[in-house]
Amino acid sequence: MGIIKASRLVFDYIRRDEEENIEEVDRAIDGLDVDVEKGSFVAILGHNGSGKSTLAKHINAILVPTEGTVWVSDMDTADDSKVWEIRRKAGMVFQNPDNQIIGNVVEEDVGFGPENIGVPTDDIWKRVDESLEAVGMTAYRYKSPNKLSGGQKQRVAIAGVMAMRPECIVLDEPTAMLDPNGRKEVIRTVRELNRKEGITVLMITHYMEEVIHADRVIVMDEGKIVMDGTPREIFSRVDELKGYRLDVPQVTELAYELRRGGADMPEGILSLDAFVESFMAALSGRRAGDRGVLTPDAGDRNAAAEE
Amino acid sequence: MIREITIGQYYPVDSVLHRMDPRTKLFGTMVYIVSLFLADNVWGYAVAALLLAVVIRLSRVPVSFMVRGLKAILFLLLISVSFNLFLTDGEEIFRVGFLRVTWEGVRMAAFMAVRLIFLVMGSSVMTLTTTPNQLTDGLEKSLGFLKKVRVPVHEMAMIMSIALRFIPILVEETDKIMKAQMARGADFESGGLIQKAKSMVPLLVPLFISAFRRATDLAMAMEARCYHGGEGRTKMKPLRYARRDYTAYAVYAVYLGVIVLTKFV
Amino acid sequence: MAIRVEDLTFIYNEGTALEQRALDGVSFEIPDGQFVGLIGHTGSGKSTLIQHLNGLVKPTGGKIYYNGEDIYSEGYSLRQLRSKVGLVFQYPEHQLFEVDVISDVCYGPRNLGLPEDEVRQRAEDALRLVGMKEKYWEQSPFELSGGQKRRVAIAGVLAMNPEVLILDEPTAGLDPKGRDEILDQVEKLHNARGMTIILVSHSMEDMARYAERLLVMNHGKKAFDGTPREIFRHYKELEQMGLAAPQVTYVVHALRERGVDIDEDITTVEEARDALLEVLQRA
């Protein structure tokens, strides 16, 4: 069993009127099964309202299942006695960088978690030093969080989680409110923690460029997992992704369009280099013979002919 | 304009005062305030001014920052000065209508002004050299005895610390919402009192909603980081008195003594 | 000659230790009906610039003319200007405050002192314009989804009937489909109503797709001004400013380096597709 596992997970948001009668039930997660391997980097995609954030909050025991079970490191999140241990092992980073920093000085904020779990003072300092170093924020340790950029604030938030020595970090759209440079900064930090420290990462995002380095991509829709595979596998299904209100990186889309136009391009191209190599190969393939009609909508016609 | 409020803002440099235990600074501020009300002549205030000057120098915070804090109390200052100026009995200097200005009034008003200014500057020294977290730590520890009578000291300290962190954020937010509503033709300046109050609704409602959203988010983030009240909590920066703190207490004693002596000059 | 900005300078906290030059001698002109993209990294002065354009901030130096009139001259009505130059702030849904959607949208036109039936008419038009169906009009704006809230907030500005619409990152925080929907709506306003659009965005892909002209800000100065094609030719300089070009631009340059004969000015996926298919066809 992996580090995080959910079985037949269901979660309902229940709205009650003044007399505590149920007014409305909104099923955010609908019978979801997932198993996340220790040390892996998993990206979760899905449009707003697809249930991603609700899932994320289950891993930290902020929400507990309406039905089904979630285990973190073999601990059932519904078990009240394990709640603090679960939260220590599965740290969480949220979307709005301002609303998760508690300390008035960077280093004090990083120390907040360890203080809460009763780590001795000397050890807190050691952890704070290490965590700030791991996210590259040591130079800012005496600064006020209000003076930092969005990307830096998120790195402080990540350091705050790292100081709890977690096995897993769940990031709920950590880059949604950042500019492109801030986004790169955060993604680089998270990838490094995953590779160097072996931290399991679950990252929710709307930005497709951010998931191409993940080990595994999960797409959610209406509270269920609808796609699950490597980035390459997922991004070779461009139309399906668009059907879930998602997008693909421009190189992926361009390769897909060329393929539809009859060009000999492989599926699921994710990077600039891969695109250039594939295109050059396709070009020399053409030069060597193998001619067919190439038009932007050749693919549509071929598809029509197949039907 | 509201950005200029400096009370509660920390000025990050390294100085003896910055390194001092917050309890020492809290107690010192109290001593200073008491001394301002004990002093009743020029000599007393001269000693108080001297101490303030030395302390500001030691803090390595630019004087301009201390002075800026005064803007916030300008109105209060004006009112108390005019009250003292016009409503003190004594030897009359001149009279405007029913308002009499007396020598005693001038003296009282001047002392009042000096008191208020020193009081604000003195407390600014504390807030500028102490992070709000240290300050609340200091308060929490100093008032720790109240826990025995079930006063939630830790919780109150935490609330204070969070409030201090969010003040600048909410100030910025107010500015933004104000501009956004002005872009929709809002007018926050003209009109009578009722009109003005009504025009604040489009500002206050979004501000409250935002504050609540932030509060919910923050509560969740704190819970996610295992916060569960003060029990079993350790401290990253536990309060420990060093030699400089004992020195400071000695200075307080001497200072109070001198202030009391000036009363007999 | 709708908007003319001349030598605009803005200094924060002038004369203090915290002095900061947010805008430094910026000049440009935006003719009626243009779709302008405004780019620059965070802190480059974009936000300060757009707040000047409808008179929310008073410049330290320089002038702004709207239809030939100096907006900071004595007696010029800034409130009137704000109805002509609509500004949609970042996360505009944070300014919603009324009990229902329609009342919130009415706020702007009512501030203009219009008769009540016209206020209502404008609000309804604006809501239709952003694609908010009638069934939502009486609902509380706080019960809508994120994307819907944002549309209502944009409608709140549109109801002022602006000639120029400035949007500060209108897609921030939305999912990909939501982003496209908002931008398509903006493009429709531009095409159907001839509205001048000034769009602030970090997405170079969106800029290449929608904008006719790009203004690039860097350290408070105007760094570039031209069509997206012209601007993205300078992709190396853009990178030094903490910006980038659309991914397609990088594809095109990488292919050109490998000897593929393709127009270097291609900035969108559609153009690249057609050009590359032609290259393959010729081979």
Side-chain angles (χ1 to χ4, degrees):
Chain A
M1 186 160 98
I3 179 161
I4 297 162
K5 190 170 150 65
S7 157
R8 295 197 306 277
L9 175 64
V10 172
F11 186 78
D12 294 331
Y13 282 104
I14 298 171
R15 254 182 39 178
R16 291 172 196 274
D17 61 16
E18 282 109 40
E19 279 108 50
E20 292 291 301
N21 299 314
I22 292 171
E23 204 173 48
E24 201 182 315
V25 176
D26 188 5
R27 182 149 291 193
I29 295 187
D30 188 8
L32 179 141
D33 290 287
V34 75
D35 196 337
V36 174
E37 204 183 312
K38 196 170 161 65
S40 62
F41 189 130
V42 181
I44 303 180
L45 297 175
H47 62 83
N48 289 339
S50 59
K52 321 168 290 247
S53 287
T54 311
L55 174 63
K57 283 170 197 152
H58 275 87
I59 297 164
N60 199 273
I62 286 176
L63 296 178
V64 286
T66 308
E67 286 168 37
T69 318
V70 176
W71 292 273
V72 173
S73 284
D74 296 332
M75 292 177 286
D76 185 341
T77 60
D79 181 350
D80 273 342
S81 66
K82 296 276 166 57
V83 118
W84 306 113
E85 186 61 12
I86 289 169
R87 288 189 183 158
R88 194 188 66 71
K89 288 210 163 157
M92 190 139 180
V93 176
F94 298 90
Q95 187 188 88
N96 190 328
D98 279 323
N99 298 357
Q100 57 184 317
I101 294 180
I102 294 109
N104 288 283
V105 177
V106 167
E107 61 171 17
E108 287 178 9
D109 184 72
V110 177
F112 180 74
E115 286 182 336
N116 289 334
I117 52 178
V119 175
T121 300
D122 292 344
D123 201 21
I124 296 180
W125 282 91
K126 222 173 92 200
R127 288 179 181 217
V128 169
D129 292 349
E130 284 170 10
S131 308
L132 283 171
E133 197 61 45
V135 301
M137 286 296 290
T138 306
Y140 299 89
R141 66 183 304 162
Y142 304 119
K143 290 250 179 222
S144 153
N146 291 332
K147 299 265 150 70
L148 304 180
S149 73
Q152 290 169 336
K153 283 182 205 165
Q154 286 301 52
R155 275 152 67 197
V156 171
I158 294 170
V161 167
M162 285 301 291
M164 318 252 296
R165 303 248 164 96
E167 288 173 13
C168 158
I169 299 185
V170 182
L171 302 104
D172 188 359
E173 292 193 48
T175 58
M177 300 182 77
L178 308 183
D179 66 6
N181 296 323
R183 293 209 296 263
K184 276 186 210 146
E185 212 176 297
V186 170
I187 297 301
R188 203 184 314 125
T189 308
V190 174
R191 281 186 68 198
E192 223 161 84
L193 292 180
N194 173 249
R195 274 188 320 214
K196 287 195 186 148
E197 321 260 333
I199 305 276
T200 311
V201 173
L202 241 84
M203 189 178 75
I204 293 172
T205 180
H206 282 320
Y207 290 98
M208 304 302 143
E209 336 56 283
E210 292 173 0
V211 312
I212 57 179
H213 300 291
D215 299 313
R216 176 177 172 193
V217 178
I218 290 172
V219 179
M220 284 187 67
D221 189 53
E222 311 220 318
K224 293 189 179 76
I225 290 178
V226 289
M227 295 168 86
D228 188 348
T230 62
R232 220 190 140 101
E233 283 161 9
I234 299 294
F235 283 129
S236 59
R237 291 145 76 182
V238 177
D239 282 335
E240 205 179 326
L241 278 170
K242 289 195 170 174
Y244 294 123
R245 293 177 63 98
L246 298 172
D247 209 351
V248 293
Q250 276 197 327
V251 280
T252 311
E253 178 154 21
L254 184 55
Y256 171 79
E257 288 282 336
L258 290 178
R259 213 176 125 78
R260 274 185 15 139
D264 186 19
M265 294 289 283
E267 285 188 326
I269 283 180
L270 302 174
S271 71
L272 180 62
D273 292 340
F275 181 91
V276 172
E277 291 315 319
S278 308
F279 184 81
M280 294 317 287
L283 191 60
S284 54
R286 290 288 294 181
R287 286 194 176 124
D290 172 35
R291 282 156 197 272
V293 193
L294 290 177
T295 59
D297 48 358
D300 291 342
R301 239 176 290 140
N302 292 347
E306 273 168 31
E307 281 171 26
Chain B
M1 199 171 64
I2 16 186
R3 284 165 199 257
E4 284 163 8
I5 298 172
T6 50
I7 290 182
Q9 273 195 16
Y10 176 65
Y11 190 88
V13 284
D14 192 26
S15 78
V16 188
L17 250 69
H18 283 75
R19 271 172 278 147
M20 203 176 265
D21 190 290
R23 288 169 292 177
T24 314
K25 285 185 269 189
L26 270 168
F27 190 71
T29 310
M30 265 167 55
V31 167
Y32 193 66
I33 292 171
V34 168
S35 78
L36 287 177
F37 288 92
L38 275 177
D40 58 357
N41 61 22
V42 180
W43 294 109
Y45 289 114
V47 174
L50 184 72
L51 183 78
L52 190 62
V54 170
V55 165
I56 290 176
R57 191 64 199 271
L58 281 176
S59 75
R60 297 181 52 206
V61 178
V63 183
S64 63
F65 268 82
M66 315 268 172
V67 178
R68 225 180 288 172
L70 290 176
K71 277 190 193 166
I73 61 143
L74 207 62
F75 187 62
L76 185 72
L77 196 65
L78 231 71
I79 288 193
S80 49
V81 165
S82 23
F83 262 87
N84 279 300
L85 197 58
F86 295 122
L87 300 177
T88 314
D89 272 332
E91 191 186 334
E92 185 175 311
I93 309 171
F94 61 87
R95 175 194 281 267
V96 192
F98 65 94
L99 294 170
R100 294 174 59 223
V101 176
T102 62
W103 282 114
E104 282 74 11
V106 170
R107 197 181 123 96
M108 287 285 275
F111 283 171
M112 197 42 144
V114 168
R115 254 180 213 160
L116 269 172
I117 290 170
F118 282 13
L119 191 140
V120 169
M121 285 178 80
S123 354
S124 310
V125 173
M126 178 181 65
T127 52
L128 284 162
T129 59
T130 318
T131 69
N133 265 22
Q134 288 171 344
L135 199 62
T136 43
D137 271 3
L139 274 175
E140 190 183 343
K141 193 119 186 203
S142 312
L143 302 176
F145 63 92
L146 288 174
K147 272 187 204 161
K148 295 205 178 83
V149 286
R150 299 212 169 188
V151 177
V153 178
H154 166 78
E155 283 73 11
M156 280 158 64
M158 183 56 88
I159 289 169
M160 216 176 96
S161 153
I162 290 170
L164 287 171
R165 172 164 147 63
F166 276 85
I167 286 169
I169 294 175
L170 288 174
V171 166
E172 205 169 298
E173 184 130 14
T174 311
D175 186 56
K176 207 188 114 183
I177 297 171
M178 211 154 161
K179 278 184 177 158
Q181 303 300 28
M182 273 160 77
R184 292 211 278 165
D187 183 356
F188 294 112
E189 273 124 40
S190 51
L193 201 62
I194 293 174
Q195 189 58 39
K196 258 189 188 161
K198 260 174 100 176
S199 73
M200 294 310 265
V201 171
L203 174 64
L204 293 178
V205 173
L207 198 60
F208 270 111
I209 291 171
S210 151
F212 274 111
R213 190 181 49 237
R214 287 182 191 281
T216 332
D217 281 6
L218 191 73
M220 192 160 65
M222 288 171 73
E223 247 190 272
R225 283 164 76 182
C226 293
Y227 180 71
H228 51 283
E231 209 153 307
R233 220 167 167 261
T234 45
K235 291 271 180 201
M236 178 179 178
K237 296 176 177 171
L239 300 178
R240 266 187 223 116
Y241 281 132
R243 189 191 293 162
R244 56 176 165 266
D245 297 297
Y246 297 121
T247 315
Y249 280 107
V251 170
Y252 298 161
V254 173
Y255 168 72
L256 263 187
V258 171
I259 287 288
V260 171
L261 279 180
T262 61
K263 289 172 78 84
F264 302 106
V265 178
Chain C
M1 229 248 323
I3 299 175
R4 197 168 85 232
V5 173
E6 266 178 17
D7 202 24
L8 195 68
T9 300
F10 183 75
I11 303 172
Y12 277 112
N13 303 316
E14 200 179 6
T16 72
L18 302 163
E19 183 174 301
Q20 203 186 348
R21 207 166 265 260
L23 290 174
D24 192 357
V26 177
S27 301
F28 58 83
E29 228 180 280
I30 296 176
D32 279 327
Q34 204 170 46
F35 195 128
V36 182
L38 181 59
I39 57 180
H41 69 88
T42 308
S44 62
K46 303 174 297 211
S47 298
T48 315
L49 176 61
I50 57 173
Q51 288 180 18
H52 277 87
L53 295 181
N54 75 347
L56 283 172
V57 182
K58 222 171 147 48
T60 313
K63 289 207 152 66
I64 297 175
Y65 297 91
Y66 185 69
N67 287 334
E69 282 181 86
D70 181 351
I71 68 164
Y72 294 110
S73 64
E74 193 122 344
Y76 189 89
S77 165
L78 285 175
R79 286 183 77 189
Q80 207 61 38
L81 173 76
R82 285 175 198 146
S83 74
K84 297 277 176 267
V85 182
L87 174 53
V88 179
F89 274 82
Q90 218 177 13
Y91 301 102
E93 60 274 21
H94 291 176
Q95 50 179 273
L96 299 174
F97 68 98
E98 272 287 6
V99 285
D100 55 45
V101 166
I102 187 96
S103 315
D104 205 287
V105 180
C106 285
Y107 177 67
R110 192 168 291 140
N111 281 333
L112 297 178
L114 299 169
E116 202 49 34
D117 52 335
E118 198 185 337
V119 167
R120 176 84 191 187
Q121 190 58 45
R122 281 201 185 184
E124 290 182 2
D125 289 348
L127 282 168
R128 285 199 191 94
L129 220 48
V130 297
M132 283 301 289
K133 295 207 181 74
E134 222 160 306
K135 64 172 176 182
Y136 296 116
W137 293 2
E138 308 295 330
Q139 270 190 32
S140 160
F142 304 108
E143 286 170 3
L144 303 174
S145 75
Q148 287 171 326
K149 272 188 207 162
R150 188 155 306 175
R151 280 153 189 259
V152 172
I154 294 175
V157 174
L158 286 175
M160 316 265 293
N161 268 359
E163 293 161 356
V164 179
L165 185 65
I166 308 172
L167 301 112
D168 191 358
E169 290 192 60
T171 59
L174 298 180
D175 60 29
K177 190 75 185 291
R179 285 178 220 155
D180 290 349
E181 283 168 358
I182 292 274
L183 290 178
D184 286 344
Q185 209 86 53
V186 170
E187 196 181 35
K188 232 168 71 192
L189 287 170
H190 173 245
N191 291 341
R193 298 206 153 190
M195 209 179 267
T196 308
I197 306 283
I198 301 174
L199 174 71
V200 178
S201 170
H202 284 301
S203 163
M204 299 304 146
E205 283 77 14
D206 290 343
M207 284 303 185
R209 202 160 123 202
Y210 294 101
E212 296 168 77
R213 171 183 172 192
L214 289 185
L215 284 174
V216 185
M217 294 293 295
N218 190 36
H219 295 306
K221 292 196 168 89
K222 189 177 83 175
F224 290 113
D225 182 353
T227 63
R229 286 161 179 271
E230 288 162 1
I231 304 291
F232 291 135
R233 239 178 256 162
H234 302 279
Y235 67 100
K236 284 186 179 139
E237 282 118 301
L238 289 177
E239 276 170 18
Q240 278 161 6
M241 297 175 194
L243 300 168
Q247 208 179 12
V248 164
T249 305
Y250 292 94
V251 169
V252 168
H253 284 280
L255 288 176
R256 278 168 64 88
E257 260 167 45
R258 300 282 291 263
V260 177
D261 178 23
I262 174 173
D263 180 9
E264 70 163 329
D265 282 348
I266 284 172
T267 54
T268 66
V269 171
E270 289 74 29
E271 290 169 339
R273 173 195 64 197
D274 293 349
L276 291 178
L277 283 175
E278 203 196 300
V279 167
L280 289 171
Q281 188 72 50
R282 271 199 314 250

